């Protein structure tokens, strides 16, 4: 039997009741085909269900739920005895279906920014992180990030005016991660709402990790008594990297260990960044011979070298973000019809074009590693096992295998360790190869991938200048200003 808890407006004949689960059934014509019960939603409902189920009496007895079937499913799976319901009398079948449509269309959840303010207010009023996480259906780490972000004026000001409603929990976490680096915080705040946000954060992480690694290595060199030149601009014109030197003209190369006894031995930043390199400050004076003297005679261009170093960093970051996207893209359960058509045309064109980028890539371990990841195969699977998996795949998944067969070899070339795909100087790939890579990136963009500025330059067939801010990010019409939507409201009195 159901028990009255309260009575609403008698004219509407609606009653708020606690009804046993045994008396509740899902509406037989429920229009929502996919309940989409997330882990967060389930946790929130089981913690405290604040929204009653909307029900009406069923012809055969009991009650049918015409709004709240997701909540009903969660309660039933959890073995709950009863549910809070609003019982509607005199509701005809047409009204039930209209109610399903209306409530579903009008229901709009809070944005992450709005939710963060609410979590902050709850914390200010004494709720602990665990309690807030359970109520909101979030991880405690996410709750901490939201509370921290709303409570930090500096982080809020980093987000440009008009963009604060777009701030997500991921944005908040990234800003907090770099809180001690004002320039990084500014860059991240500017990237909120842009398609290259993940690329900006990845680049900053890579550069931070590189600084830490280089600092640690520098300490080791200092402890070993090795001379350190902290900037390539401080190297004498006669200096040369150790790999360029030979014991005699046309002789053997010189190892780092053997060269340490040389009075000209030192370490300096590598020409293309990322690590320290051994150099000799006076090769001729110390009896060494240049292996490629013509290269050494070329006049150094510090600005061009700096652009290559930064461009390489930007490209490495783009490669990582793109491959994360590709892993998710190939694991999707289904592809919309327009995506299937785009992929089919891409696959056909690449097979017909053929070329070294495809044939050589299919024999590489790097492409095979990507194929294993995209196809969810074992780490030791070879190409034959990839082919066997394709032969046994469901028809709807065959296009994923076809895409992998051509995209993995191309991706292997795009992300090659030589980092030349983006360059347009003397070490660039041939125009035809760069154009092929640009076409590949353009296709990924049409499939939903957001190109970073450096990838966009390659896709558009133009040089990339990592220091030209006007091209890498849109100008802001104002400095970062905190939107009212992220300002905690007035606190209630005691």
């Amino acid at each position: 039997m159901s028990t009255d808890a309260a009575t609403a407006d008698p004219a509407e004949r609606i009653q708020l009741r606690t009804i046993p689960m045994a008396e509740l059934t899902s509406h037989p014509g429920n229009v929502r085909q996919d309940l989409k019960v997330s882990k967060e939603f389930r946790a929130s409902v089981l913690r405290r269900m604040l929204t009653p189920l909307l029900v009406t009496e069923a012809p055969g007895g009991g009650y049918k739920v015409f709004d709240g079937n997701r909540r009903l499913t969660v309660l039933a799976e959890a073995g709950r005895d009863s549910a809070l319901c609003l019982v509607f009398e005199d509701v005809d079948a047409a009204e039930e279906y209209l109610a399903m449509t209306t409530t579903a269309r009008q229901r709009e959840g809070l944005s992450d920014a709005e939710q963060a303010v609410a979590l902050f207010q709850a914390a200010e009023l004494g709720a602990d992180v665990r309690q807030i996480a359970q109520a909101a259906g979030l991880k405690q780490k996410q709750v901490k990030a939201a509370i921290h972000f709303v409570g930090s004026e500096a982080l809020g000001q980093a987000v440009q005016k008009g963009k604060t409603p777009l701030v997500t929990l991921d944005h908040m976490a990234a800003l907090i991660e770099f809180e001690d680096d004002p320039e990084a915080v500014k860059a991240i705040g500017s990237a909120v709402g842009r398609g290259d946000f993940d690329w900006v954060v990845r680049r900053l992480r890579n550069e931070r990790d590189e600084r830490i690694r280089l600092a640690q290595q520098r300490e080791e060199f200092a402890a070993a008594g090795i001379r350190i030149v902290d900037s390539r601009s401080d190297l004498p014109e006669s200096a040369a990297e150790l790999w360029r030197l030979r014991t005699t003209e046309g002789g053997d190369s010189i190892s780092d260990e053997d060269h340490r006894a040389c009075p000209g031995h030192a370490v300096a930043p590598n020409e293309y960044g990322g690590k320290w390199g051994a150099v000799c400050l006076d090769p001729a004076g110390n009896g060494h011979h240049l292996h490629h003297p013509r290269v050494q005679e070329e006049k150094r261009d510090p600005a061009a070298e700096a652009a290559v170093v930064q461009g390489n960093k930007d490209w490495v970051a783009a490669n990582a973000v793109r491959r994360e996207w590709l892993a998710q893209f190939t694991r999707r359960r289904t592809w919309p019809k327009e995506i299937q058509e785009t992929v089919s045309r891409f696959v056909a064109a690449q097979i017909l074009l053929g070329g070294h980028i495809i044939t050589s890539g299919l024999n590489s371990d790097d492409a095979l590693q990507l194929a294993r990841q995209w196809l969810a195969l074992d780490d030791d699977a070879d190409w034959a096992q990839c082919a066997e998996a394709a032969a046994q795949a469901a028809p709807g998944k065959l296009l994923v295998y076809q895409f992998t067969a051509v995209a993995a070899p191309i991706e292997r070339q795009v992300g090659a360790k030589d980092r030349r795909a983006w360059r347009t100087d003397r070490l660039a790939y041939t125009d035809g190869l760069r154009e092929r890579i640009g076409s590949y990136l353009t296709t990924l963009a049409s499939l939903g991938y957001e190109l970073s500025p450096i990838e966009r330059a390659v896709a558009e067939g133009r040089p990339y200048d990592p220091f030209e801010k006007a091209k890498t990010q849109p100008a802001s019409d104002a400095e970062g200003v905190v939107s009212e939507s992220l300002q905690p409201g007035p606190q209630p009195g005691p």
Side-chain angles (χ1 to χ4, degrees):
M1 296 291 293
S2 61
T3 57
D4 284 355
T7 302
D9 184 355
E12 296 294 333
R13 303 188 69 178
I14 303 173
Q15 293 182 323
L16 181 64
R17 299 181 183 178
T18 300
I19 300 178
M21 291 291 293
E23 298 183 26
L24 297 172
T25 58
S26 179
H27 194 289
N30 182 27
V31 295
R32 190 185 292 277
Q33 298 179 6
D34 187 353
L35 294 179
K36 295 180 181 178
V37 178
S38 66
K39 183 170 60 176
E40 293 77 12
F41 179 81
R42 180 178 287 103
S44 178
V45 170
L46 296 180
R47 165 67 179 168
R48 181 178 296 168
M49 192 176 75
L50 300 177
T51 305
L53 307 178
L54 305 188
V55 306
T56 188
E57 292 186 3
Y63 300 85
K64 57 182 176 181
V65 179
F66 61 87
D67 182 75
N69 283 282
R70 292 198 304 158
R71 281 164 279 154
L72 178 66
T73 298
V74 170
L75 294 174
E77 290 177 349
R80 293 294 172 89
D81 295 328
S82 60
L84 188 64
C85 304
L86 277 177
V87 182
F88 287 72
E89 299 181 18
D90 301 328
V91 177
D92 62 31
E95 289 176 316
E96 291 173 10
Y97 281 98
L98 289 176
M100 291 184 208
T101 302
T102 302
T103 56
R105 289 185 53 156
Q106 300 302 324
R107 187 177 292 128
E108 185 173 346
L110 293 173
S111 68
D112 282 4
E114 293 167 331
Q115 183 176 228
V117 174
L119 301 183
F120 178 85
Q121 298 281 27
E124 288 290 286
L125 293 171
D128 61 35
V129 170
R130 182 173 178 273
Q131 179 184 2
I132 295 172
Q134 289 179 336
L138 297 172
K139 297 178 181 178
Q140 293 189 31
K141 183 178 180 180
Q142 293 174 310
V143 172
K144 291 177 182 178
I147 294 172
H148 186 129
F149 177 77
V150 176
S152 171
E153 182 178 356
L155 294 181
Q157 287 180 341
V159 181
Q160 294 176 351
K161 184 179 180 180
K163 289 187 176 181
T164 44
L166 304 177
V167 176
T168 67
L169 293 173
D170 287 341
H171 294 148
M172 297 176 198
L175 286 163
I176 293 169
E177 180 182 346
F178 288 90
E179 192 169 16
D180 296 333
D181 186 342
E183 288 301 314
V185 167
K186 183 178 179 181
I188 294 171
S190 298
V192 169
R194 295 208 318 258
D196 62 353
F197 177 85
D198 290 340
W199 172 74
V200 169
V201 175
R202 172 70 70 167
R203 184 180 60 176
L204 290 169
R205 285 175 179 154
N206 288 350
E207 291 178 351
R208 177 193 59 195
D209 294 345
E210 180 181 291
R211 287 194 301 270
I212 294 173
R213 185 178 68 254
L214 292 178
Q216 292 173 340
Q217 292 174 350
R218 190 187 189 285
E219 291 180 3
E220 294 172 1
F221 292 136
I226 297 173
R227 187 183 310 177
I228 300 170
V229 180
D230 286 305
S231 172
R232 289 187 61 81
S233 61
D234 293 332
L235 288 171
E237 291 187 7
S238 60
E241 289 86 355
L242 200 58
W243 64 268
R244 297 182 187 274
L245 304 179
R246 297 293 183 268
T247 53
T248 61
E249 187 172 353
D252 297 331
S253 59
I254 305 173
S255 70
D256 180 272
E257 184 177 354
D258 290 340
H259 191 260
R260 291 196 179 194
C262 176
H265 186 74
V267 292
N270 186 275
E271 182 178 2
Y272 299 118
K275 60 183 180 180
W276 295 92
V279 300
C280 184
L281 301 179
D282 184 12
N286 292 305
H288 307 318
H289 295 262
L290 285 173
H291 185 48
H292 295 294
R294 283 183 297 178
V295 175
Q296 187 69 15
E297 290 169 4
E298 291 181 1
K299 188 175 181 180
R300 289 184 60 243
D301 184 345
E305 288 181 359
V308 170
V309 169
Q310 186 58 54
N312 282 343
K313 293 177 180 179
D314 293 354
W315 189 247
V316 169
N319 289 338
V321 172
R322 186 180 62 257
R323 290 187 176 187
E324 287 177 359
W325 182 87
L326 281 164
Q328 295 174 3
F329 175 73
T330 52
R331 297 285 185 90
R332 291 181 190 175
R333 300 179 68 177
T334 58
W335 285 343
K337 186 176 180 180
E338 59 273 17
I339 285 184
Q340 293 180 32
E341 181 177 347
T342 300
V343 170
S344 295
R345 293 184 186 279
F346 166 75
V347 170
Q350 295 304 319
I351 291 175
L352 293 171
L353 286 171
H356 179 78
I357 193 172
I358 298 293
T359 57
S360 177
L362 279 173
N363 293 319
S364 75
D365 289 337
D366 290 340
L368 177 57
Q369 185 176 356
L370 290 170
R372 291 167 180 155
Q373 181 185 15
W374 297 353
L375 302 175
L377 299 178
D378 294 337
D379 292 341
D380 59 352
D382 56 19
W383 284 114
Q385 289 170 298
C386 292
E388 182 180 352
Q392 298 176 0
K397 297 295 289 184
L398 285 176
L399 194 54
V400 177
Y401 285 84
Q402 295 167 11
F403 175 80
T404 297
V406 296
I410 297 174
E411 182 60 37
R412 168 253 182 189
Q413 186 72 62
V414 178
K417 294 178 181 179
D418 61 19
R419 306 172 186 175
R420 293 167 55 194
W422 71 274
R423 296 174 63 168
T424 53
D425 58 7
R426 64 180 178 83
L427 292 181
Y429 287 158
T430 63
D431 290 343
L433 182 54
R434 194 174 192 268
E435 183 179 347
R436 188 86 174 264
I437 290 171
S439 176
Y440 164 71
L441 294 174
T442 300
T443 298
L444 294 187
S446 71
L447 296 174
Y449 174 64
E450 293 279 358
L451 296 177
S452 64
I454 191 169
E455 291 168 310
R456 195 176 305 118
V458 176
E460 295 172 359
R462 58 178 172 82
Y464 172 70
D465 182 353
F467 303 120
E468 193 172 357
K469 299 299 182 183
K471 285 186 178 180
T472 59
Q473 61 186 33
S476 171
D477 57 353
E479 290 298 322
V481 178
V482 184
S483 166
E484 292 182 0
S485 65
L486 282 183
Q487 293 301 307
Q491 301 295 313

